[in-house]
Amino acid sequence: MSEQEIRVPDLGGADEVEVIELLVSAGDSVEAEDPILTVETDKASVELPSPGAGKIIKLTVKVGDKVKEGDVVGTIDSSGESSGSDDSADEPEAKAEEKTEAESSSKGGAEPDASKPAPKKKSGGSRTEVVLVPPLDGMEDVPVIEINVSEGDTVEADDALVTVESDKASMEIPSPFGGKVVKVFVAEGDKLSEGDKLLELTVAEDGGDDDVEESGDQDDAPAESGQESKPEAEADEKAAPKEPAAQPQSAVSEPPPPGASVHAGPAVRKLARELGADMTRIKGSGPKSRILKDDVQNYVKSQLQQAQQGSAVATGSGIPGVKLPDFSQFGDIEKEAMSRMMSVTAANMQRSWLNVPHVTQFEDADITDMEAFRKSQKAAGEKKGVKMTPLPFLLKACATALAELPQFNVSLDMERKEVIRKQYIHIGIAVDTPNGLMVPVIRDVDKKGLWELAAESAELAQKARDKKLKPAEMQGACFTITSLGGIGGTAFTPIVNAPEVAILGVSKAAMKPVWDGSEFQPRLLLPLSLSYDHRAVNGADAARFTSLLSQVLGDIRTLLL
Ligand code: COA
């Protein structure tokens, strides 16, 4: 015996990875590069290959273990050819040759070793093999819950033929050979014990032994391995259950309660993993809600369909969509295609609303003095050809607050668990246009004066209304101001323009009585509504931000400090 350790290879920079599936067991024959087990990093799942051909002696890890590059995960006996060293591959034939087909055809007939193939008949370039139920971990009379093949199907060695399920576990019975299914002897609900006849296969004579030797998880074998296996897609198609396909929608279910287990065989789990399908969201159509390959495929189809149905109505995050009644039953209706801008805006709003935990902080700023100053600049503005509105003051005040409280000038990278801090202050302004909402961006607001900001915001707003904004003029904002002050309202809760983490909503300023300690004074109060991403910003900082805005707008001389 030549014992060789199987070690974790270079993981492309990943430190510790979790073992999520063992693809072989002790005693299995494998070829070099055959997958041994699957590990999962933050970004992908990776199959660890066998360092050589041979027979697996043992695996020293289990599902859930953490491993890193260089760790030993098992040992392999590579003393001979992998298949040649697998005595069991030849042995059954010798035993099987001695039996007659009649002997083996009686269901439940005791076989000396039921895992070995039953008698075979040779005919020309092929032979017929009767596949028997292998040892079932000591269990008897275990019900068949799924038949994975039909007569006429082509199967590869190790393809799941049937699935049986006891009270404690379900188990797929693999094919010992590649070949064509001639006859299936069992039906769903039948109770099987070791040695029972499962099905009859026609196995190509010249490639027959090879089929047995190549049984090292054909499912996982890479296409480059040179094995004469059918393309995986075709094999899967053949091996897939032949029950009528479930409708895509029916494959999607509400997530099961936390801790609920997923009911599916390894091949189905593998398929789901390859397609990136979350099995906890898939409704099984098999017996006892078992998830079948069709269910996984239908689930993926339905997800793709949803995405293609238009981003504006895509529900995302698995949230059930809103079903529309036939409105014409209530009265006359007209249908009109959404403009591109409307559907893009709708998708952006929904994405932000779903992804960002929003909180809104309200504050009133006393802008009595600011307004007096602004109005005093009217003549100067006329000379310059620029109208001074409250917006430039708001831009300047926000730039001051962003500089003072830089936790508002960030974006979150939740995948990498990073906070991206910006060293610049670019602010987007929401502009109401006949075509919908547009958000041009004023760059380096902190470095510009009020007149410059007034001119630039007016110019960008006009460009937005004239549909003349360039894409670059709508990118790079750290923060957004949305002002409805020229229209009305006392407060609102704007949606954060993710990946920014905060947005200031401005409502209409109104004269209100303010108690100065001895009497009420008429003061012009500007309602501010700051919505923020509560993952990035805490409530205390939000209150500091709006207080600072209120202070700066209340005394604009502070902008000079
Ligand atoms: N309170 C009271 N009056 C206000 C005000 C406020 N908060 N903000 C502006 N005004 C006044 C202005 O002073 C101006 O009055 P005046 O002509 O008597 O001087 C008038 O309202 C109109 O101002 P406007 O032309 O809107 O200029 P602006 O610089 O304040 O706003 C935009 C520019 C681009 C922000 C604005 O035109 C706009 O499109 N707002 C809508 C944004 C939106 O739709 N947001 C919703 C997103 S969900």
Side-chain angles (χ1 to χ4, degrees):
M1 188 196 285
S2 166
E3 200 172 313
Q4 191 183 353
E5 286 177 334
I6 307 171
R7 287 180 181 273
V8 177
D10 178 10
L11 292 168
D15 280 350
E16 258 199 346
V17 292
E18 186 176 337
V19 176
I20 60 161
E21 191 174 5
L22 302 180
L23 301 170
V24 295
S25 320
D28 284 355
S29 293
V30 293
E31 299 294 337
E33 300 298 316
D34 273 359
I36 299 293
L37 49 83
T38 311
V39 295
E40 196 157 64
T41 69
D42 285 352
K43 298 184 197 86
S45 60
V46 180
E47 287 174 347
L48 302 189
S50 171
K55 196 166 181 176
I56 301 293
I57 300 169
K58 63 177 173 189
L59 288 184
T60 50
V61 290
K62 56 186 185 320
V63 171
D65 282 358
K66 295 268 167 59
V67 293
K68 57 185 185 315
E69 184 183 339
D71 282 356
V72 176
V73 295
T75 48
I76 183 169
D77 173 11
S78 50
S79 53
E81 292 301 308
S82 67
S83 44
S85 66
D86 186 358
D87 299 342
S88 62
D90 296 328
E91 191 183 283
E93 289 182 26
K95 283 183 185 167
E97 294 263 30
E98 291 163 17
K99 296 180 194 297
T100 65
E101 191 183 357
E103 271 176 307
S104 65
S105 67
S106 68
K107 188 180 163 194
E111 299 288 340
D113 181 350
S115 64
K116 308 287 193 288
K120 62 182 182 182
K121 350 174 243 205
K122 294 191 178 183
S123 73
S126 65
R127 65 178 198 274
T128 303
E129 296 281 356
V130 174
V131 179
L132 305 178
V133 176
L136 295 172
D137 286 344
M139 296 182 289
E140 285 194 345
D141 291 331
V142 189
V144 175
I145 60 159
E146 193 179 335
I147 312 263
N148 296 324
V149 293
S150 308
E151 288 172 13
D153 283 356
T154 303
V155 295
E156 303 291 343
D158 270 4
D159 275 358
L161 297 175
V162 304
T163 309
V164 293
E165 187 168 71
S166 73
D167 290 347
K168 299 189 190 78
S170 63
M171 192 189 286
E172 284 174 350
I173 300 184
S175 180
F177 309 105
K180 192 164 184 176
V181 178
V182 182
K183 196 158 180 47
V184 179
F185 297 120
V186 294
E188 271 179 26
D190 282 0
K191 296 201 168 151
L192 299 183
S193 301
E194 180 180 346
D196 287 350
K197 272 201 335 174
L198 270 187
L199 47 79
E200 197 173 279
L201 280 179
T202 305
V203 178
E205 194 55 73
D206 45 355
D209 286 346
D210 287 348
D211 284 340
V212 180
E213 287 165 11
E214 287 174 3
S215 66
D217 208 345
Q218 290 269 322
D219 209 6
D220 294 345
E224 309 85 61
S225 68
Q227 292 174 358
E228 285 180 19
S229 60
K230 298 235 177 241
E232 196 171 333
E234 191 184 329
D236 278 354
E237 191 189 307
K238 298 278 184 189
K242 296 295 178 272
E243 293 130 74
Q247 289 306 303
Q249 279 76 6
S250 70
V252 186
S253 70
E254 292 299 317
S261 58
V262 170
H263 204 38
V268 176
R269 286 175 190 275
K270 181 170 183 288
L271 177 70
R273 214 172 44 248
E274 282 169 354
L275 295 175
D278 177 357
M279 293 195 76
T280 61
R281 306 207 65 84
I282 302 176
K283 187 173 165 189
S285 65
K288 297 187 186 169
S289 301
R290 188 178 176 75
I291 299 172
L292 311 177
K293 277 189 178 175
D294 272 359
D295 298 328
V296 176
Q297 283 157 347
N298 286 332
Y299 172 76
V300 172
K301 267 188 224 160
S302 73
Q303 294 297 97
L304 287 172
Q305 270 172 11
Q306 257 186 30
Q308 284 161 3
Q309 268 164 14
S311 45
V313 292
T315 52
S317 302
I319 293 174
V322 176
K323 289 207 174 73
L324 296 181
D326 174 10
F327 295 105
S328 64
Q329 64 184 306
F330 309 121
D332 291 344
I333 56 163
E334 258 178 31
K335 288 187 182 176
E336 184 190 357
M338 276 186 200
S339 68
R340 190 174 142 60
M341 202 202 284
M342 185 178 180
S343 69
V344 168
T345 304
N348 286 342
M349 291 293 171
Q350 186 170 32
R351 196 176 302 122
S352 290
W353 180 252
L354 289 173
N355 280 292
V356 175
H358 280 75
V359 179
T360 306
Q361 173 76 29
F362 301 101
E363 176 81 72
D364 281 343
D366 184 340
I367 59 165
T368 318
D369 298 338
M370 185 197 97
E371 275 297 274
F373 173 73
R374 185 179 74 83
K375 286 188 176 144
S376 73
Q377 298 302 307
K378 200 170 170 199
E382 277 165 9
K383 265 196 207 156
K384 290 175 188 280
V386 179
K387 185 176 171 189
M388 182 67 81
T389 66
L391 187 61
F393 295 89
L394 289 163
L395 282 162
K396 217 52 200 161
C398 287
T400 303
L402 287 168
E404 194 111 330
L405 295 161
Q407 56 271 49
F408 285 83
N409 194 5
V410 302
S411 284
L412 301 181
D413 184 338
M414 295 308 292
E415 238 171 66
R416 293 200 165 89
K417 301 278 184 289
E418 280 175 1
V419 177
I420 301 158
R421 300 190 190 285
K422 295 155 195 175
Q423 312 296 326
Y424 51 86
I425 297 180
H426 305 338
I427 298 180
I429 47 170
V431 179
D432 179 33
T433 80
N435 306 303
L437 186 68
M438 302 201 77
V439 188
V441 179
I442 302 184
R443 304 179 101 77
D444 299 315
V445 175
D446 53 324
K447 296 181 184 138
K448 291 177 178 166
L450 288 170
W451 286 115
E452 201 179 352
L453 292 172
E456 197 173 335
S457 56
E459 187 194 331
L460 285 171
Q462 195 52 50
K463 271 185 161 182
R465 292 182 189 114
D466 296 342
K467 294 198 211 169
K468 293 217 169 104
L469 280 177
K470 298 190 189 95
E473 290 173 315
M474 293 185 280
Q475 289 166 2
C478 312
F479 181 88
T480 296
I481 297 176
T482 175
S483 171
L484 295 175
I487 305 168
T490 54
F492 64 109
T493 54
I495 295 178
V496 172
N497 196 9
E500 296 158 33
V501 298
I503 181 168
L504 181 72
V506 183
S507 298
K508 193 174 178 65
M511 275 297 197
K512 290 191 178 166
V514 175
W515 186 251
D516 71 358
S518 49
E519 55 185 339
F520 283 106
Q521 298 286 350
R523 305 295 295 179
L524 186 63
L525 298 186
L526 178 70
L528 304 174
S529 311
L530 177 79
S531 288
Y532 59 94
D533 182 338
H534 210 344
R535 296 172 303 176
V537 172
N538 63 42
D541 285 339
R544 282 184 194 107
F545 194 95
T546 51
S547 296
L548 183 57
L549 285 182
S550 167
Q551 190 190 323
V552 171
L553 294 169
D555 185 352
I556 51 167
R557 291 172 303 177
T558 50
L559 286 173
L560 300 169
L561 299 174

